Amino acid sequence: MKKDITTLWDLNKQEIDHLLNSSISLKNDHKQGADKHPLVGKSVGLVFDKPSTRTRVSFEAAMIQLGGVPMYINVGDTQLIRNEPVSDTARVLSRYLDGLVVRTYSQQLLEDMAQWADIPVINALTDLYHPCQILSDIMTVVEQKGGYKGVRIAWIGDGNNVAHSWINAAAILGLDLVLACPSGHQPNRQIMQKALDKGIGKIQLAKTPQEAAKGADVLYTDVWASMGQETESALRKTAFEGFAVDEKLVALAAPKAIVMHCLPAHRGEEISHEVMEGPQSVVWDQAENKLHMHKAVLEALLKTWR
Ligand code: CP
Ligand code: NVA
């Protein structure tokens, strides 16, 4: 049976722990120049309908380092743009490729693709979720904090796709997650409720960024206007006033707290220049770890779990 990652709910705690261990050992192998090539002869299509620097390049490099071949497929260059049904596209691509990595707007479209494809479909960001981002971010938390258990993670900012995947991860792994979001920009209620109902995590909403940041081990933020929300940028800047991760907010966190951002960042908006470039920022490790986690995900879905 093929396995997809449409949301983190497609994985259980054991599987996420496997990916964490595997990504860390793949990283060690790579640093020692001892890459293995388990995906020789395999190819993966990257079907992207939104811009990307990190996710695209890290998935492509991951596939190459594992001995396989990545193929970038801009949606605008396919017949999807001329309304060929997703069901037809997914079945055709399944006859050529061994996996699909998909970045698009609609979560439903991605799930339809997974339903029709005979090959694993991996969510590389939709308007609703960014599961692989959170997998690599937890890898960074494990590296920095020695594990994820008991680590207090504070999300400051928009209740967006990245926040939603953190909420899912908290429910599956039992994370301690507190979110501070301006009113009108809270996480999706159903996503929150499902996590609270099914999960084992401690998931809370804070009234202010200060309340969330207090004593936190990880301060995490993301852009105030996500891809597709560009026209709301000005309005959002007003709504998010006071939600910047700056030196004052970092001072409220635990003394050895780390600051995370999935990037791209807007310095002077959701994060100050000083914090982004400061000693507590781990954003470059975070970006690097996308490569190692994507290798773990590709190896698991295309080989180990097939
Ligand atoms: N963090 C992240 O997904 O970055 P890209 O948009 O550059 O892929
Ligand atoms: N929330 C952001 C994440 C970018 C990686 C967006 O969707 O644009």
Side-chain angles (χ1 to χ4, degrees):
M1 256 281 277
K2 66 126 175 180
K3 189 171 184 66
D4 306 303
I5 303 182
T6 60
T7 80
L8 284 178
W9 285 113
D10 288 330
L11 301 170
N12 59 32
K13 181 176 183 305
Q14 241 185 334
E15 288 164 337
I16 295 179
D17 285 340
H18 166 87
L19 292 173
L20 291 168
N21 291 331
S22 162
S23 58
I24 288 168
S25 90
L26 284 160
K27 182 173 180 174
N28 285 336
D29 290 351
H30 187 62
K31 300 280 175 199
Q32 286 165 21
D35 282 333
K36 297 181 192 83
H37 308 291
L39 298 188
V40 170
K42 305 268 188 209
S43 48
V44 151
L46 275 76
V47 181
F48 275 45
D49 199 16
K50 282 180 173 180
S52 171
T53 297
R54 282 146 287 269
T55 309
R56 173 189 173 175
V57 177
S58 59
F59 264 112
E60 290 196 17
M63 203 53 197
I64 293 165
Q65 290 178 18
L66 292 168
V69 175
M71 198 180 291
Y72 184 70
I73 305 167
N74 182 342
V75 169
D77 294 334
T78 69
Q79 299 289 7
L80 278 167
I81 204 75
R82 294 176 58 246
N83 293 329
E84 180 167 19
V86 168
S87 52
D88 295 1
T89 306
R91 282 178 287 181
V92 170
L93 292 180
S94 297
R95 302 281 176 115
Y96 305 142
L97 300 165
D98 301 290
L100 292 173
V101 176
V102 181
R103 172 169 285 201
T104 189
Y105 293 85
S106 155
Q107 177 69 20
Q108 188 58 53
L109 186 147
L110 179 116
E111 289 180 13
D112 291 347
M113 202 169 259
Q115 188 200 320
W116 286 98
D118 301 321
I119 54 178
V121 171
I122 300 166
N123 184 344
L125 182 145
T126 64
D127 287 348
L128 219 49
Y129 297 111
H130 198 1
C132 294
Q133 178 69 47
I134 274 49
L135 291 174
S136 55
D137 290 343
I138 298 172
M139 176 191 173
T140 305
V141 170
V142 170
E143 279 182 342
Q144 296 285 334
K145 298 285 163 198
Y148 56 70
K149 206 168 166 238
V151 175
R152 189 165 176 80
I153 299 156
W155 175 273
I156 314 286
D158 191 17
N160 63 13
N161 44 7
V162 179
H164 292 155
S165 286
W166 267 115
I167 291 167
N168 290 351
I172 299 163
L173 298 177
L175 303 179
D176 180 354
L177 176 69
V178 57
L179 303 103
C181 314
S183 88
H185 300 280
Q186 305 277 347
N188 175 298
R189 260 196 214 154
Q190 281 166 300
I191 292 171
M192 261 307 256
Q193 201 52 53
K194 179 175 174 185
L196 293 170
D197 290 347
K198 289 206 182 168
I200 49 167
K202 186 173 157 205
I203 308 168
Q204 295 169 308
L205 293 177
K207 289 205 175 63
T208 63
Q210 289 74 19
E211 182 190 329
K214 208 169 162 207
D217 302 300
V218 177
L219 291 183
Y220 199 118
T221 192
D222 184 17
V223 289
W224 291 339
S226 285
M227 289 180 274
Q229 298 173 331
E230 288 79 4
T231 55
E232 298 172 28
S233 284
L235 275 176
R236 282 173 170 263
K237 263 187 214 173
T238 313
F240 284 78
E241 230 168 87
F243 280 75
V245 173
D246 55 17
E247 285 169 310
K248 270 196 225 153
L249 202 70
V250 175
L252 297 174
K256 289 189 178 155
I258 54 171
V259 177
M260 301 182 74
H261 191 312
C262 57
L263 307 181
H266 292 159
R267 290 169 173 83
E269 289 184 26
E270 76 277 1
I271 190 163
S272 71
H273 175 81
E274 292 72 22
V275 169
M276 174 102 175
E277 301 293 345
Q280 286 165 277
S281 164
V282 297
V283 299
W284 314 118
D285 291 330
Q286 236 186 301
E288 177 185 336
N289 285 341
K290 286 170 74 78
L291 168 69
H292 309 298
M293 178 51 80
H294 293 165
K295 285 167 81 171
V297 164
L298 289 167
E299 186 177 12
L301 266 53
L302 270 62
K303 193 159 184 193
T304 321
W305 294 346
R306 285 231 76 175

